[in-house]
Amino acid sequence: MVALLGQIPRYWLARRFRLGAPLPANVTVGLTYRCNSRCQTCRVYERQSAELTVEEWARVFAGLGAAPYWFTFSGGEPFLRRDTPDIVRAAIVTCRPRVVNLPTNGLLTDRVVEGAAAVCAADPQTRVIVNVSLDGVGPQHDEIRGVPGAYEKAVATVRGLQELRCANLTVGIHTVISRFNAANMERIVPQLLALGPDSYVTEVAEQRVELGTTALDIAPDAEAYDRALDHVERALAEHLRDGVSGLIQAFRREYYARARRYLRSGETGLPCYAGLASAQIDPSGDVWFCCVRAESVGNVKAAGYDFRAVWRGSAAERLRDSVRRAECACPLANAAYTNMLCHPPTIARVLWQRWVPRWFQNSKFVACASRA
């Protein structure tokens, strides 16, 4: 975390004074659009792409160097590629990230468990997070994901990952809160937490170009989302841990507050650092700032696998100007966490809420000071 915080002033200066683009600390690698789910909240499986090979990805990672602190390897379903562990290990060996996140629908239990074990062995200093998607319990999850038996397979994957007992593995559960499950979160969350994940995260369903959902009515209304998050936050409060885990939960609460705000007003109140601190590369090598707009600023394969050439090209600078002018807004969780780390008032608020005792936060002294 200290290494990441040391990079943040460079992003502040680059955004404020247009001093050129540092390499991103948060990189999402889209490995494939193929997917074996047919989710009500996603149409990514309808997209086609010529996927980069392991060797091609290795050349891209060489261009990124040691800049990425956090990698996410996404899909589609990443584990439909049998070489996914090889690609992830290439990133770990070349870039030495502190965190690697692998989301999965959990349908391919053996492949996910074996792949996670291989990735964890690449470097014990890299924290590997495997987030298994569960949007409901039993038949409701199967219906949302469009696959009979999906819930049982995902639960088997969670248990298989837990049995690995790798010291650098975090087994997480991820829920997309949509209009299809928002009303049931009071029942869903406790049952998912009962599975004993190391972490539990939610994200609001949204319209994204990458997922082909721009015309779909999938997001809950603001009131339904508020009620759903109330249940999530109450349940998580009982699982709040000390130290780093507790701090991560505090950042998640801040993200949830921003997502609530977005559904009510259409803005998050945070400056966006997509195109500076965060980036995404699609399966064919197109470089995006985020998956919501999914606007390509160039292709790494066409640039001889030189990420820097694409990242600092004229097309990227034009899109950065659009982001600086706040011509878009979204509650995308992956980018939001980077944006919060780059926003001093948010960091101060999270630290205050995490470590200052409640009795002091609510004291007359603080109330008087805040009015002064």
Side-chain angles (χ1 to χ4, degrees):
M1 182 64 76
V2 174
L4 177 58
L5 293 176
Q7 292 179 253
I8 287 173
R10 300 174 62 200
Y11 299 125
W12 293 341
L13 294 171
R15 192 179 194 281
R16 179 69 177 84
F17 299 107
R18 293 173 169 80
L19 296 180
L23 292 176
N26 178 359
V27 179
T28 297
V29 174
L31 294 177
T32 184
Y33 291 133
R34 291 177 285 151
C35 193
N36 47 356
S37 291
R38 292 296 180 265
C39 302
Q40 293 176 327
T41 56
C42 179
R43 295 291 184 273
V44 72
Y45 55 83
E46 295 178 352
R47 301 189 65 160
Q48 302 293 321
S49 178
E51 299 166 1
L52 296 186
T53 65
V54 176
E55 292 74 20
E56 288 175 313
W57 279 118
R59 294 176 68 181
V60 175
F61 299 145
L64 283 164
Y69 181 92
W70 180 297
F71 270 107
T72 298
F73 291 88
S74 69
E77 169 50 44
F79 288 97
L80 280 175
R81 288 190 63 155
R82 291 186 178 275
D83 57 4
T84 284
D86 298 326
I87 295 171
V88 179
R89 283 185 296 182
I92 291 174
V93 170
T94 303
C95 303
R96 298 294 177 183
R98 302 307 298 167
V99 180
V100 163
N101 181 39
L102 280 158
T104 176
N105 59 28
L107 295 180
L108 301 171
T109 297
D110 291 344
R111 199 179 297 182
V112 173
V113 173
E114 292 168 8
V119 170
C120 287
D123 183 354
Q125 300 304 312
T126 296
R127 170 58 52 181
V128 178
I129 305 170
V130 180
N131 277 322
V132 181
S133 296
L134 282 164
D135 293 343
V137 176
Q140 183 182 31
H141 175 73
D142 296 357
E143 181 179 359
I144 292 173
R145 291 281 163 166
V147 179
Y151 179 75
E152 292 182 0
K153 292 176 182 178
V155 170
T157 299
V158 170
R159 290 172 176 156
L161 291 167
Q162 291 169 331
E163 290 171 1
L164 287 176
R165 302 191 185 282
C166 296
N168 60 332
L169 174 63
T170 294
V171 181
I173 291 177
H174 175 276
T175 298
V176 176
I177 300 179
S178 67
R179 70 178 186 86
F180 306 109
N181 64 1
N184 304 117
M185 292 304 292
E186 182 177 13
R187 177 180 60 86
I188 292 169
V189 179
Q191 294 188 66
L192 296 184
L193 289 176
L195 297 174
D198 299 316
S199 70
Y200 177 72
V201 295
T202 72
E203 187 170 3
V204 64
E206 59 184 312
Q207 296 175 323
R208 299 183 190 175
V209 172
E210 179 198 30
L211 302 183
T213 58
T214 55
L216 298 184
D217 178 20
I218 55 177
D221 61 43
E223 291 74 18
Y225 187 60
D226 276 343
R227 290 192 296 271
L229 276 187
D230 286 344
H231 297 309
V232 171
E233 291 179 325
R234 278 197 295 270
L236 289 179
E238 299 176 3
H239 291 75
L240 186 63
R241 300 174 182 175
D242 295 329
V244 174
S245 294
L247 180 61
I248 291 171
Q249 293 284 24
F251 270 103
R252 285 178 184 153
R253 287 197 299 272
E254 180 68 21
Y255 163 71
Y256 295 147
R258 299 290 179 173
R260 290 178 193 257
R261 177 172 176 168
Y262 176 81
L263 287 186
R264 290 194 300 269
S265 66
E267 52 88 24
T268 66
L270 276 175
C272 184
Y273 283 80
L276 291 170
S278 59
Q280 181 156 343
I281 310 171
D282 91 337
S284 69
D286 278 345
V287 176
W288 307 338
F289 288 179
C290 73
C291 63
V292 175
R293 289 177 65 160
E295 294 181 31
S296 176
V297 296
N299 185 281
V300 289
K301 187 172 184 176
Y305 306 97
D306 185 354
F307 179 87
R308 296 167 190 250
V310 177
W311 192 242
R312 293 169 177 162
S314 57
E317 282 306 312
R318 287 193 295 271
L319 189 54
R320 279 189 194 97
D321 285 338
S322 172
V323 175
R324 288 188 184 102
R325 292 191 296 268
E327 294 178 349
C328 55
C330 74
L332 178 65
N334 195 309
Y337 289 114
T338 310
N339 294 341
M340 287 188 288
L341 286 169
C342 291
H343 192 234
T346 296
I347 295 176
R349 183 165 50 253
V350 167
L351 296 178
W352 170 271
Q353 293 175 352
R354 177 67 191 97
W355 276 302
V356 175
R358 290 286 180 180
W359 63 264
F360 184 76
Q361 293 183 34
N362 297 328
S363 68
K364 292 182 180 179
F365 171 79
V366 172
C368 291
S370 65
R371 290 196 296 267

